[in-house]
Amino acid sequence: MFTFRTSITLAVMTFVVALAGLLIAIQARSLRAATHEAASAFMDSASTKSLGRLQGELNAIASLVNVLATSSSVADSNERSETGRAIPLFKAALQEMPQMDSIYAGFDNGAWLQVRRTSSLSEDQRDRLRAPASAEFAISLIRPTPAGDLPMRRVFQDRQGNEVGEIDLWNYGYDGRKRSWYWQTLRSDRPYVSAPYLSFSIDAPVITVSAPLRGKVPGVLAADLKLDTFSAFVQAQRPGQNGTVMIFDQAGSLIAHPEFTGLVESAMTHPSQSQLPSIDEINSGMVASVVRRSHNRDHNEGLIRDEDGQGYLFRLTKFTLGEGYNGSILLLAAEDDFVQNVRRLQFTGLILAIVVGAAFVPLVWMFGSTMSHSLKRITAQAGQLQMLAEPSLTPVTSYIREIHELGSTVNLAQRAIWSFAHFVPKEIVRGLIDNSISTTLGGVKQEITLVFTDVQGFTTIAEAADPDGLMRQTSRYFSVMTDAFLTEGGTVDKFIGDAVMVFWNAPHPQPDHVARACRATLAAKAAGERLNVEFAAEGLTPFVTRFGIHVGEAVVGNVGSSERMNYTALGNTVNLAARLEGLNKQVGTTVLASEDVYLRVRDQFEFKAFDAVIAKGMTKETRIFELVGASA
């Protein structure tokens, strides 16, 4: 026979040959890791460029806004006109910083001045402003009337500053004081970066950078950064041909997206959606999955697959745009953009591994099946230990020494426990096996129901009977009694000569233990009567059985010595149950129960009451009842 170690070694050596084929897959995995590093480097570059561009433009605009907010041309008067000194200043700022869409100032009396470059607008946006084709700048002025109206005049100028058009909008409906950039800036009294929103005049997504005026009149100076052109720049930095870059703020509003223009148009034409596209509206696909798994995390990266199984590396990182205003950048990079031959190598390696592995499958299968069959049989025998099932005649055998010895040991243990269960109540044996019953001396006080039995005139019967025949007759009698008690879950504690001691509610709880004891007693009585018919037919003396039933508290546990102990019950409850059995002779009955038993189950069984008596060895009177039968 082989040893278990030798058998396992042979199996491992067999599998080593098959594992050699997996080296190709390991090589492909290494190449794949290299592609991931390359993709990660591209994502680093795209993130740096995109965020650098956004933060750089916002910082530059913020610096300009802070400077202009202190200019006397803007901050010393809220009287605005087409010839005011602020207009050339705003035009120069726009020329200096082409990333700005417009620059404007709002005052607390409702006055407003905006200078916007029109040459960078789309045709639709120019149409919204009604800008002539030759217009380079649109100058919008709101001068409040004494009645509080806010009419707007929009003047268009060409590159040289010549007026090329003019319109008056008497009910334009714009009040800068109600815009969030205005009151947020005044409330905080410091520079402010707004969340993305749609521009009032051209319906274009913008971010506003604003600062409070530091002059003679209260107000706010602000400039807009258009996001549609910024999205185009960001997408140009995408990692790989099929990569994607998205930027959104802490509220979910998109700042940059590869389909930003289309999303804005969709949001504007669907009233059920938010005014500006939000990352939350992308509720399916890889983007939604990445956003969900990155919830409340400042940084998260990994691998995700689309519906077609294409792998994408993702990275989502949070960043700060301004004081109290944060955003996140999400990058997706397709694996196929950074790998050339990895998939082909992976496929080749997989085929080789399958071919090599398949060559050893029959041998490994037979070897494993033999071991598995033996171990399953041993496991089944071990499971039968707790069930106290009858042991099999032959142990499990195997060519492997350790399994062979294990099979013999389990079979021996099964036989030992099976034999042990014939001398000790099976419930006790099960409790010892599953450790629910302690093996230390001592007990606990608990309520149990006890039944004591005794054969009337057994001593006289024994004196006249053949000893061997009496032993067989007594064994038949005990078998009948025991079956009745075990059927109702009783614990047969001991046989005392011709008597039997049984209790319920230990070692395991039985809520209906009193009723169980009564049913078992009636069943044992009926079984004994049937057995006596057989005894009479065989010429044997019948065994007339008397029963005593009592319920109460007793000490239940292990009594004896450390070398030999017995699981039993002790106490006055036990003594009274035994005395009740003896009182049957005095009152001429066969089944007597205590008042405690009667009160517990009087609605389930029929009883006949007797006068109170003082049982032998007791000092108090005890009311006794004859158990007649079950209630109809």
Side-chain angles (χ1 to χ4, degrees), residues 78 104-113 142-152 172-187 192 197 200 210 213 217-222:
N78 56 17
Y104 45 92
F107 301 88
D108 68 345
N109 67 341
W112 189 65
L113 169 66
I142 294 179
R143 286 174 286 198
T145 66
D149 295 329
L150 300 175
M152 173 181 282
Y172 189 62
Y174 184 83
D175 188 346
R177 296 169 297 182
K178 298 180 180 180
R179 309 296 285 181
S180 62
W181 57 265
Y182 183 90
W183 56 265
Q184 287 274 22
T185 305
L186 286 184
R187 184 173 65 178
Y192 172 73
Y197 68 98
F200 184 87
S210 54
L213 293 178
V217 293
V220 174
L221 189 136

